[in-house]
Amino acid sequence: MKKILQQFFSFLKGLKQDPFLCLGLIAAVLFVLTSLLAGFVSTNSSQKEDFSLASLANLSDKTAGEEPFLSPAKGFSPESPEFLLVGDNSLKSATPPTNFSPQVLGALVAGYETIDTRKVVTEYMVEAGDTLSSIASTFEISLNTLLWANNLSKNSTLKVGQKLVILPVSGVLYHVKTGDTVSNIANTYKGKTDEILAFNGLAGDADIYVGDILIIPNGVLPQAPSSQPAPQLVPLAQSYFICPILTPSGFCRRTQGLHFYNAVDFSNSQCGEPIFAAAEGEVIKVKLTESISRWAFGGAGNTIAILHPNGVVTSYGHVAASLVSVGQHVSQGQIIALMGGMPGTPGAGLSTGCHTHFQVMGARNPFAQ
């Protein structure tokens, strides 16, 4: 042992006298340490990869045979973004182009909606003691906004149980007609184009469609006409529309009666069930988003609209996936979408569960009671 120590001290003395030998030794030690570290990382990565592959294999075994859509109690989760189950025995491609407005895109990057204020039109049922002024004050809107939205005057008498349309902000409610642009609407109602675009979640000046309902923040109704009425109703045969969720057995379950605007809700309590075109026509709007905001597209969430030969427009809200594209002609009874509406899922909008918001513009909704 004594001899070994003497040799060690002699080696250290040699290092002190020869600096090049010292540097060489340090380099050799660093090389050995680097090699050992690289080997450790490689082994660890290999183990992680083996674990990941094993996990995927187990997950595949567990999910084999499951339906691509779960019941409302379990949630709604599509297995694939490209193919969705239609009925019980067929798959349908569902990858239409998706447009994002700057507001929606910003929300996606941040992971949440930066402004979570009420942006949808609601309805209020008049109670005893209510006045026009008190209702406007309660909802923090101007009296004129309340009057314009409901075609009332300051001398109008309210009745208990009467339904009133309530805008989320002071301004004007506008029904889009053929040839309209956001700029023209802004000029007519003294609004600001950028405010209309932002508040209604529009991507651009031309991103509006016949039958749309816009909110014009701080807008003012022109002197003539004295009101901005809804489109004239076209008389329809009772059989012109079929139920948009009609089952082979003829079952059509309505879950909510007439509400804003001229809409009813249908559901068989199953996300992913097919939605049918109520009548033939041309698809004029397919608006989809990955946003989970309750206010997506005015609360209707993912929406499809069809223009029918008589000028009437039907709209289908809270869809999970569109199976049609803009400009496509559809036949009555053709499957156009799959039902969505499960809260927390992309494009569900303001919804409490799986259903279809069926709206009619320009005619009486035949399913209203």
Side-chain angles (χ1 to χ4, degrees):
M1 181 68 181
K2 183 178 180 180
K3 185 176 180 181
I4 294 175
L5 290 175
Q6 289 177 344
Q7 290 177 347
F8 177 72
F9 286 119
S10 177
F11 174 72
L12 293 178
K13 185 177 181 181
L15 289 177
K16 184 176 181 181
Q17 295 175 350
D18 189 350
F20 293 103
L21 179 61
C22 182
L23 291 175
L25 179 62
I26 294 174
V29 172
L30 291 175
F31 175 76
V32 172
L33 291 176
T34 303
S35 299
L36 291 175
L37 182 60
F40 173 78
V41 172
S42 177
T43 301
N44 194 40
S45 298
S46 177
Q47 291 175 347
K48 286 184 178 180
E49 182 178 357
D50 291 342
F51 175 78
S52 298
L53 291 174
S55 300
L56 288 174
N58 292 336
L59 180 61
S60 177
D61 292 340
K62 290 179 180 179
T63 57
E66 291 185 0
E67 294 293 333
F69 295 99
L70 305 178
S71 66
K74 297 180 181 178
F76 168 66
S77 176
E79 291 282 339
S80 166
E82 296 183 355
F83 294 96
L84 296 168
L85 184 69
V86 179
D88 296 324
N89 54 12
S90 62
L91 290 174
K92 180 74 174 179
S93 175
T95 54
T98 302
N99 296 321
F100 298 101
S101 69
Q103 293 79 19
V104 172
L105 187 58
L108 287 175
V109 173
Y112 58 88
E113 292 293 334
T114 56
I115 301 177
D116 193 23
T117 56
R118 184 172 67 91
K119 292 184 179 180
V120 298
V121 176
T122 56
E123 291 182 323
Y124 175 75
M125 189 169 292
V126 175
E127 299 178 352
D130 280 340
T131 65
L132 291 169
S133 297
S134 68
I135 295 173
S137 177
T138 299
F139 289 96
E140 299 180 344
I141 58 176
S142 69
L143 177 58
N144 278 336
T145 297
L146 182 64
L147 299 177
W148 294 335
N150 295 277
N151 291 325
L152 300 174
S153 70
K154 293 182 180 180
N155 298 322
S156 296
T157 302
L158 296 178
K159 298 179 181 179
V160 174
Q162 179 181 351
K163 282 186 177 181
L164 296 179
V165 173
I166 306 296
L167 271 62
V169 294
S170 292
V172 177
L173 197 67
Y174 181 77
H175 299 263
V176 177
K177 306 178 183 62
T178 303
D180 280 340
T181 65
V182 176
S183 297
N184 292 338
I185 295 170
N187 290 334
T188 302
Y189 293 91
K190 301 186 184 305
K192 294 182 179 179
T193 300
D194 56 347
E195 289 184 357
I196 297 174
L197 292 175
F199 199 90
N200 294 277
L202 303 175
D205 186 71
D207 188 25
I208 55 175
Y209 307 84
V210 176
D212 281 355
I213 300 175
L214 301 182
I215 296 171
I216 306 172
N218 303 309
V220 177
L221 208 64
Q223 291 295 327
S226 59
S227 63
Q228 200 272 310
Q232 294 296 316
L233 300 184
V234 174
L236 295 177
Q238 187 65 28
S239 60
Y240 188 85
F241 289 129
I242 64 169
C243 176
I245 65 164
L246 192 63
T247 63
S249 61
F251 184 62
C252 177
R253 181 169 175 257
R254 194 189 66 172
T255 55
Q256 184 177 355
L258 192 65
H259 55 285
F260 186 86
Y261 169 80
N262 199 28
V264 297
D265 292 345
F266 294 102
S267 177
N268 290 324
S269 302
Q270 180 82 25
C271 275
E273 66 178 284
I275 299 173
F276 306 98
E280 73 160 316
E282 179 185 343
V283 178
I284 60 172
K285 176 170 66 175
V286 177
K287 299 203 73 172
L288 308 174
T289 180
E290 290 298 322
S291 172
I292 60 173
S293 169
R294 293 175 298 167
W295 318 125
F297 303 138
N302 292 340
T303 304
I304 295 173
I306 299 175
L307 175 62
H308 303 286
N310 56 5
V312 175
V313 175
T314 53
S315 180
Y316 311 75
H318 311 297
V319 305
S322 170
L323 306 182
V324 294
S325 57
V326 173
Q328 180 177 342
H329 184 273
V330 295
S331 303
Q332 185 179 57
Q334 179 177 335
I335 299 177
I336 58 172
L338 301 181
M339 184 180 294
M342 179 59 67
T345 58
L350 187 60
S351 172
T352 58
C354 304
H355 76 280
T356 296
H357 176 85
F358 178 71
Q359 178 176 295
V360 179
M361 293 292 294
R364 187 183 69 85
N365 193 319
F367 303 101
Q369 292 182 359

